[in-house]
Amino acid sequence: MTDMTAQRVAGKRAFITGAAGGLGAATARMLARHGAKVFITDIDDAAVKTLADEINRDADSHVAWSAAQDVRDEATWQRLLAEAAQAMGGLSVLVNNAGVGSLGSVENIEMKEWRRVMAINVESIVLGCKYAMPFLREQQPGSIINISSVAAFKVDPDYTAYNTSKAAVAMLTKSVAVDCARQKMDVRCNSIHPAFIRTGIVAPFFDSLGEEEATRKLTRGIPMRRLGEPDDVAYAVLYLASDESRYVTAAELVLDGGACAV
């Protein structure tokens, strides 16, 4: 059952992409646990539906809806945001979480792969912000939360497309934030920049190297010498989605165990 004493986002209505697992699933559970309604999407329709059913069972109420979404498709964005607003009675929070990794230096990356990464990691956020804005305007105060990465600041030449896309998310976030402020809209836009988080993305390292060696390799540039957990990011989203952060916009919230400081 939901802890009814911890309703930090009571009355909020959140649309979350890439929510079938990892950070998206943790975020959906966190926001619902703290009183929000959530409309969750993912390209994996079955998995995101299962999560919505679990959230509803835990809440003993219908607080979660789900849908299949390819975040690259403009028409799907328009349709699902309208469906979400109708189902939840409005929209006050957008969490752009969907994203992909990519490996390749500037000389060997295929342009098809470059375009794929940019479409999912950057253009999808443009589409989300663009088409969510009318709904957020009606439900002020609103909050847009874009999941980026410390890769926006710490460069690895073997991750050219990924680094570039995550840096673009940081600047896009600031642009949206300032535009909203200029229009005197009470809609904030912030980005979150995690280091390695213990999700399915890093699972292959543990499968091939074992717990101790994988942890050593993945945390060698992190002063705290540990991976983050999905809830570390979910709590950051909770703060930015709540009215506790009403004066926070155009910010880069770095969750990296100190990695960017060294």
Side-chain angles (χ1 to χ4, degrees):
M1 295 290 290
T2 300
D3 179 1
M4 298 305 291
T5 65
Q7 304 291 278
R8 293 174 62 189
V9 284
K12 300 296 185 184
R13 300 162 177 89
F15 189 103
I16 307 165
T17 66
L23 303 185
T27 293
R29 291 190 181 99
M30 181 71 72
L31 294 183
R33 190 160 70 242
H34 284 267
K37 295 179 179 179
V38 295
F39 193 102
I40 57 179
T41 75
D42 199 278
I43 200 163
D44 188 339
D45 188 20
V48 80
K49 183 181 186 305
T50 296
L51 176 60
D53 291 341
E54 291 174 0
I55 291 171
N56 287 329
R57 281 197 304 271
D58 289 344
D60 197 22
S61 179
H62 196 167
V63 299
W65 294 258
S66 70
Q69 183 182 19
D70 181 339
V71 293
R72 295 170 292 186
D73 186 78
E74 185 172 5
T76 302
W77 267 110
Q78 293 172 279
R79 175 176 58 82
L80 290 182
L81 286 167
E83 287 182 12
Q86 182 174 14
M88 297 188 294
L91 181 70
S92 51
V93 177
L94 171 65
V95 183
N96 284 306
N97 171 70
V100 292
S102 181
L103 184 65
S105 69
V106 71
E107 287 187 278
N108 60 36
I109 190 170
E110 297 288 339
M111 292 312 297
K112 181 179 179 181
E113 173 65 2
W114 172 273
R115 295 183 184 110
R116 183 184 77 93
V117 173
M118 293 301 157
I120 296 172
N121 289 5
V122 183
E123 291 176 20
S124 73
I125 296 179
V126 174
L127 292 171
C129 294
K130 176 180 177 67
Y131 291 114
M133 201 63 73
F135 299 104
L136 296 171
R137 186 179 282 112
E138 291 178 2
Q139 291 284 317
Q140 299 177 54
S143 178
I144 299 171
I145 302 152
N146 298 325
I147 306 301
S148 182
S149 168
V150 292
F153 316 120
K154 294 180 75 69
V155 174
D156 185 326
D158 289 326
Y159 292 86
T160 299
Y162 187 72
N163 284 140
T164 303
S165 70
K166 292 305 183 180
V169 171
M171 188 53 68
L172 171 61
T173 297
K174 293 178 184 296
S175 183
V176 172
V178 172
D179 184 41
C180 290
R182 182 179 59 186
Q183 295 185 56
K184 295 182 169 55
M185 288 170 51
D186 193 359
V187 176
R188 297 170 294 106
C189 188
N190 296 285
S191 55
I192 294 177
H193 300 261
F196 287 118
I197 305 295
R198 193 182 294 273
T199 65
I201 292 176
V202 300
F205 289 95
F206 289 90
D207 292 341
S208 62
L209 300 174
E211 179 76 23
E212 184 176 347
E213 182 62 11
T215 300
R216 186 188 70 79
K217 283 183 175 292
L218 291 172
T219 63
R220 58 192 171 191
I222 299 174
M224 291 183 73
R225 289 295 187 269
R226 69 171 180 85
L227 299 181
E229 300 295 335
D231 272 358
D232 291 327
V233 177
Y235 274 116
V237 174
L238 176 64
Y239 168 67
L240 292 175
S242 76
D243 290 343
E244 299 163 12
S245 55
R246 287 285 295 273
Y247 199 53
V248 180
T249 197
E252 297 163 348
L253 185 51
V254 179
L255 311 176
D256 69 347
C260 285
V262 296

